[in-house]
Amino acid sequence: MSSFNYSKWDNIECSSSEDEDDGRGDDRGMPQVTKFDNKSTITFGGNGPVTVADSTNSVDTPSAPTPTPAVRAPISPSKLPTPPPPSSPPTFKGGSFLYPSSPSNPIITSPQSIHWSQTSTSLTLSLLLPPSLKSPSITCTLKNASPFTSRNSTVGSPKTTLKITFSSHSVLSEILQHDVYINDEDETEDKHTPEWEVITYSKQSNDTVDTVERYLTITLEKATPSSNVVIWWTKVFRDVGEEVAVEREGGKGMKETWEEAHRMFREKVKGRGKEEVFY
């Protein structure tokens, strides 16, 4: 086996000094640091040298102005179109009728127009007011209404009575077709003031107001035998007014909903065992 000749590396020059100037200038690859005391311009690129120029006294080229977004002026409330006021109270799933006047009432001398409408949970009653009657002279009360805790367990014949007085004179006192409940846990069922307000309706013709009518509008909350039962009224009062044909949502009438409530009650108590009662 031939030996390897290491003599070629005998004359290698080794130096530990890297700071000596060997006359090669910047060819050694050392970075060149330039300090900028003022605003300067640097030019480089291509094959040319890098140049640094003082730009303190130079004139800056103005930049393009930032466009200002257009601001749309708000529309004055006085210029907004005003919707025409309703000409009469709503009668959705309800109707209208004339309530007879009382000979002993000096304020109501003729039958009063009543409009009514309803949703699945409430009923709205609107009674035409005399032009001279003021709102503070109106009193509305409910008697024998179901308490709030029994609003979804009210059964039996209706017993809630609505009473309206104008200037201490009785105008209306009737038993409702179905019971309503008191929408306040703190009130008692003996005497309750339902939610009411006075709403003005204007009848217009050729942009001219012909007549202005004020209606006492009362909102009543329906009481039901069960929380999933909906009762659609066919009239407001038990003994006054003609019944109207109401399109029932879901196709169930009072008889069907009552039977459904009984069926659900029997299912609920079916698994209960017999209990011994001592008395």
Side-chain angles (χ1 to χ4, degrees), residues 54-249:
D54 190 351
S55 60
T56 304
N57 298 323
S58 61
V59 179
D60 295 335
T61 303
S63 58
T66 304
T68 303
V71 179
R72 181 176 297 178
I75 301 176
S76 174
S78 59
K79 296 181 180 180
L80 294 175
T82 303
S87 58
S88 61
T91 56
F92 176 74
K93 290 186 179 297
S96 59
F97 62 96
L98 292 177
Y99 186 78
S101 60
S102 173
S104 59
N105 191 337
I107 300 177
I108 306 298
T109 58
S110 61
Q112 294 301 103
S113 176
I114 291 181
H115 300 260
W116 64 282
S117 63
Q118 63 180 319
T119 65
S120 60
T121 59
S122 64
L123 182 138
T124 302
L125 169 70
S126 299
L127 174 67
L128 180 63
L129 297 176
S132 59
L133 187 67
K134 305 299 181 181
S135 297
S137 304
I138 301 173
T139 304
C140 302
T141 56
L142 286 173
K143 187 177 181 181
N144 297 327
S146 296
F148 180 83
T149 54
S150 302
R151 63 191 183 280
N152 293 325
S153 59
T154 302
V155 295
S157 301
K159 57 184 181 298
T160 305
T161 300
L162 173 64
K163 184 175 182 180
I164 302 175
T165 60
F166 293 165
S167 300
S168 302
H169 295 279
S170 177
V171 175
L172 183 150
S173 181
E174 298 289 345
I175 298 177
L176 301 174
Q177 185 186 32
H178 300 286
D179 282 322
V180 298
Y181 70 88
I182 301 171
N183 196 11
D184 192 338
E185 297 185 49
D186 298 330
E187 293 199 42
T188 62
E189 58 181 315
D190 295 335
K191 188 177 181 181
H192 168 67
T193 300
E195 180 182 348
W196 66 272
E197 61 181 331
V198 175
I199 301 179
T200 301
Y201 295 91
S202 302
K203 294 183 178 181
Q204 295 181 334
S205 176
N206 297 327
D207 297 331
T208 302
V209 178
D210 294 338
T211 57
V212 175
E213 296 178 336
R214 297 186 308 143
Y215 280 83
L216 170 64
T217 302
I218 306 171
T219 301
L220 305 173
E221 303 294 336
K222 295 179 178 179
T224 60
S226 177
S227 59
N228 62 340
V229 172
V230 176
I231 299 179
W232 294 104
W233 297 27
T234 58
K235 57 191 304 187
V236 179
F237 305 120
R238 184 189 63 181
D239 304 321
V240 178
E242 299 292 332
E243 291 191 358
V244 298
V246 178
E247 182 179 354
R248 297 178 174 89
E249 297 180 2

